[in-house]
Amino acid sequence: MKLSNRPHTIVFTIFGAGGDLTRRKLIPALYNLYLDEWLPDRFAILGIDMREMSDDDFRSRLRGGVDEFSRRGRTEDDKWAEFAARLVYLRAGFDQTEAYVDLGRRLAALDQQWGQPAAHIYYLAIPPMAIETVCDQLRQAGLTVPPDRARIVVEKPFGTDLDSARRLIARMNGLFDESQIYRIDHFLGKETVQNILALRFANSLFEPLWNRRYIDHVQITVAERIGVGHRGGYYEGAGALRDMVQNHLHQVLCLVAMEAPVSFNADEIRNKKVDVLRAIRPIPPDQVSRFAVRGQYGPGWLRCERAAGYREEPGVAPDSDTETFAAVKYYIDNWRWHDVPFYLRTGKRLPAQVSEVIIRFHPVPHQSFPPSAAGAWSPNRLVIRIQPDEGIELRFQAKHPGPVMNLSAAEMRFSYKETFHATPPEAYETLLLDVMIADATQFMRADQVEIAWRVIMPILEAWSTVAPGNFPNYAAGTWGPEEAATLIARDGRNWVLPTVPDDPAGEGEGGE
Ligand code: BG6
């Protein structure tokens, strides 16, 4: 046992076990935790879903998922067989009361077999409209007591706007103790996202510079090369703002902008994050277009292959107005950040799969070097690369070798892989382990969810009242619509072109 607060016996019950998330993320993560000996000796995984499957079908479906998506690659027969023996499938509708009675019986039988009451983790990998039903049923069946042994993990989207999120929060808080609810945002489990805290608060070097005096602006880019694929049905009702900005990008923003926590206590960290969201300057309803831009990909080319437009994807309306790209500008009204713009952008079918934070420092106050020396001069920049090729880079000016004084940009690089000789664990591994040890630091508290919705409500409302009119407005394989470039260019700045190893610079629009 590696962690003293890890329970001795655990049952994971996954609702939506026949779905994609279970196959792609949850089971590969649990399998890796098993291989790394993070799971207790006595554990079981019960999968519940509506599709017809035997235990064996279920196991082989999940094995296929692990083989395809695990960071470790293909499974080994022996290890998989040991793990698979703990997997059980129950076919049931989420509203079938008898299914919960049956579940209760099985949980009790395991407790008896193990001679000890297990911790019960209920993972809701289900569509948002089924959340309340499952929660009600679990509660009615008496499966969520005592509170210190029963935890509910809820996947995003947590609501579809401020009102629905509030209703869901109130409903769940009426059924469970807040300490039992783990609202997951998998970005928080990403190693480099967590590393932002280490960079900022385990080093004294950056903190004195981390404010409006030295920082000109911040950019957060989460670019995806993939399109919506077969998730059109879900995505049509979501769009990039709800799917990515409200949660993932806001989380990254909070970590970049928060004040130093007094301790690493879950509530202390979460209080500091909530403070950031509370300080975001509200976007005036009549100025949304100056602060937010939306886009939708049309057909295009990615890595020499033709990519379909969003409206051609399965499950998508041929005249859909759902945005697949969003860029927003925020100001955080506090002493540290007043008037420093934070530019956030995310989109699907962009030229690269890359997530980066760029901290752009002010130019030097006075240029002592002659213009001839400083031709390629540019301000300092810190890049925090969340994925791929996790790491941090600091760009600064250096003298170019030679007899004359010529400046050019040089970089100091920290590569996660090269320094630690390890591939970071998957976000879900970290987060599932946190649920097991009841550490809620990396999960969203109800007030944070609410404020994150409140921040984007003016944009959602403006976008729902006025049709975009020009969709699709960017071709697959480009860096989003022209308006995104204008959003930042209006302030005399430009998006920094992400550089990732397999994406030679120059594929996208120009950057610094
Ligand atoms: C999910 C979104 O939450 O995050 C997806 O619903 C998106 O649309 C995904 O593709 C991105 O996560 P990752 O870990 O693949 O970068």
Side-chain angles (χ1 to χ4, degrees):
M1 168 165 287
K2 295 187 180 173
L3 290 170
S4 55
N5 48 349
R6 186 183 63 167
H8 295 274
T9 50
I10 293 189
V11 184
F12 289 91
T13 303
I14 304 176
F15 291 88
D20 222 39
L21 184 76
T22 304
R23 194 171 155 270
R24 279 171 174 262
K25 299 284 187 189
L26 301 183
I27 296 297
L30 286 168
Y31 184 57
N32 280 328
L33 287 173
Y34 174 70
L35 294 181
D36 291 335
E37 297 177 25
W38 289 109
L39 295 186
D41 296 336
R42 284 166 292 184
F43 78 93
I45 301 172
L46 307 182
I48 302 190
D49 214 323
M50 282 168 288
R51 57 164 83 191
E52 191 68 67
M53 261 191 292
S54 66
D55 280 346
D56 282 344
D57 295 341
F58 181 55
R59 291 174 185 146
S60 69
R61 177 180 154 77
L62 298 184
R63 184 173 190 176
V66 176
D67 285 343
E68 193 175 344
F69 300 110
S70 166
R71 66 184 162 89
R72 281 198 163 92
R74 293 187 71 79
T75 46
E76 284 172 24
D77 288 344
D78 297 357
K79 282 286 170 196
W80 175 258
E82 284 166 29
F83 179 80
R86 322 294 187 100
L87 294 168
V88 175
Y89 183 71
L90 311 178
R91 181 178 179 266
F94 301 138
D95 56 352
Q96 276 176 282
T97 306
E98 325 78 76
Y100 295 81
V101 176
D102 181 24
L103 175 62
R105 253 188 251 117
R106 287 173 190 254
L107 294 178
L110 284 169
D111 282 358
Q112 205 173 19
Q113 180 189 327
W114 290 331
Q116 185 173 38
H120 296 150
I121 297 174
Y122 302 103
Y123 201 109
L124 311 193
I126 52 180
M129 56 275 193
I131 293 179
E132 288 192 28
T133 309
V134 173
C135 291
D136 279 339
Q137 292 278 2
L138 283 171
R139 173 66 193 264
Q140 275 171 33
L143 298 179
T144 57
V145 284
D148 60 332
R149 277 206 291 116
R151 287 156 222 162
I152 326 281
V153 188
V154 196
E155 269 290 333
K156 65 165 260 282
F158 206 79
T160 51
D161 58 13
L162 181 58
D163 283 347
S164 58
R166 277 188 175 144
R167 277 198 303 275
L168 186 55
I169 287 166
R171 185 86 194 102
M172 288 191 71
N173 285 357
L175 295 172
F176 317 114
D177 195 89
E178 173 71 16
S179 65
Q180 295 181 272
I181 307 170
Y182 289 74
R183 299 178 193 86
I184 204 163
D185 181 322
H186 78 280
F187 258 57
L188 284 176
K190 288 183 190 273
E191 200 71 23
T192 333
V193 172
Q194 297 193 12
N195 213 10
I196 297 175
L197 288 178
L199 175 82
R200 292 195 53 204
F201 304 126
N203 298 293
S204 57
L205 181 63
F206 300 105
E207 178 54 21
L209 308 178
W210 212 262
N211 55 54
R212 63 194 303 271
R213 215 164 145 212
Y214 295 97
I215 293 179
D216 175 78
H217 74 278
V218 175
Q219 298 184 15
I220 301 175
T221 295
V222 177
E224 296 188 275
R225 198 183 277 127
I226 54 168
V228 288
H230 55 276
R231 293 171 75 225
Y234 149 75
Y235 201 84
E236 275 287 85
L241 197 65
R242 288 186 174 93
D243 185 49
M244 299 292 288
V245 178
Q246 189 271 344
N247 35 74
H248 304 328
L249 277 85
H250 279 175
Q251 293 293 349
V252 176
L253 169 75
C254 287
L255 293 170
V256 172
M258 69 192 259
E259 295 300 317
V262 175
S263 71
F264 266 68
N265 164 284
D267 266 331
E268 170 64 6
I269 302 263
R270 298 195 291 181
N271 288 342
K272 294 288 191 280
K273 289 190 194 168
V274 167
D275 283 348
V276 173
L277 295 173
R278 280 178 41 228
I280 292 180
R281 190 180 300 170
I283 298 178
D286 59 343
Q287 287 180 37
V288 166
S289 60
R290 295 188 70 80
F291 287 86
V293 159
R294 56 183 155 168
Q296 186 193 76
Y297 62 85
W301 291 86
L302 265 155
R303 300 173 132 194
C304 306
E305 277 182 25
R306 187 188 181 275
Y310 176 69
R311 291 175 176 184
E312 300 164 52
E313 305 274 20
V316 172
D319 57 352
S320 170
D321 278 343
T322 301
E323 82 282 356
T324 58
F325 178 99
V328 294
K329 174 168 92 165
Y330 290 144
Y331 287 106
I332 298 173
D333 282 337
N334 59 20
W335 277 48
R336 188 187 286 271
W337 296 117
H338 189 76
D339 279 349
V340 175
F342 283 73
Y343 302 98
L344 281 56
R345 64 173 169 169
T346 183
K348 297 209 183 282
R349 285 285 186 231
L350 302 187
Q353 189 80 20
V354 59
S355 301
E356 277 185 358
V357 178
I358 310 279
I359 313 286
R360 194 15 182 82
F361 293 89
H362 284 305
V364 290
H366 168 67
Q367 253 305 352
S368 327
F369 297 94
S372 57
W377 180 88
S378 62
N380 296 128
R381 182 206 290 171
L382 184 73
V383 180
I384 303 172
R385 178 150 329 112
I386 296 169
Q387 60 190 24
D389 196 23
E390 293 83 350
I392 296 172
E393 290 163 18
L394 178 64
R395 191 163 85 161
F396 58 100
Q397 297 304 304
K399 180 184 171 300
H400 201 84
V404 289
M405 174 56 87
N406 259 333
L407 299 177
S408 60
E411 264 164 16
M412 286 198 289
R413 280 170 197 257
F414 150 64
S415 152
Y416 193 102
K417 217 182 288 164
E418 283 165 24
T419 305
F420 296 118
H421 308 289
T423 329
E426 283 288 330
Y428 277 93
E429 292 171 40
T430 308
L431 295 173
L432 286 170
L433 189 60
D434 283 349
V435 180
M436 282 197 287
I437 60 170
D439 179 351
T441 314
Q442 307 296 345
F443 293 81
M444 293 179 294
R445 215 169 48 187
D447 53 344
Q448 193 186 2
V449 173
E450 258 190 66
I451 299 174
W453 279 114
R454 201 167 71 204
V455 167
I456 62 162
M457 278 318 288
I459 311 175
L460 280 178
E461 274 159 12
W463 287 0
S464 67
T465 18
V466 181
N470 62 349
F471 276 7
N473 58 353
Y474 70 98
T478 65
W479 281 102
E482 197 50 45
E483 293 90 323
T486 313
L487 176 87
I488 188 166
R490 220 183 276 129
D491 299 338
R493 303 183 173 99
N494 58 288
W495 294 106
V496 173
L497 183 67
T499 44
V500 280
D502 62 338
D503 278 279
E507 266 190 48
E509 71 192 337
E512 281 179 11

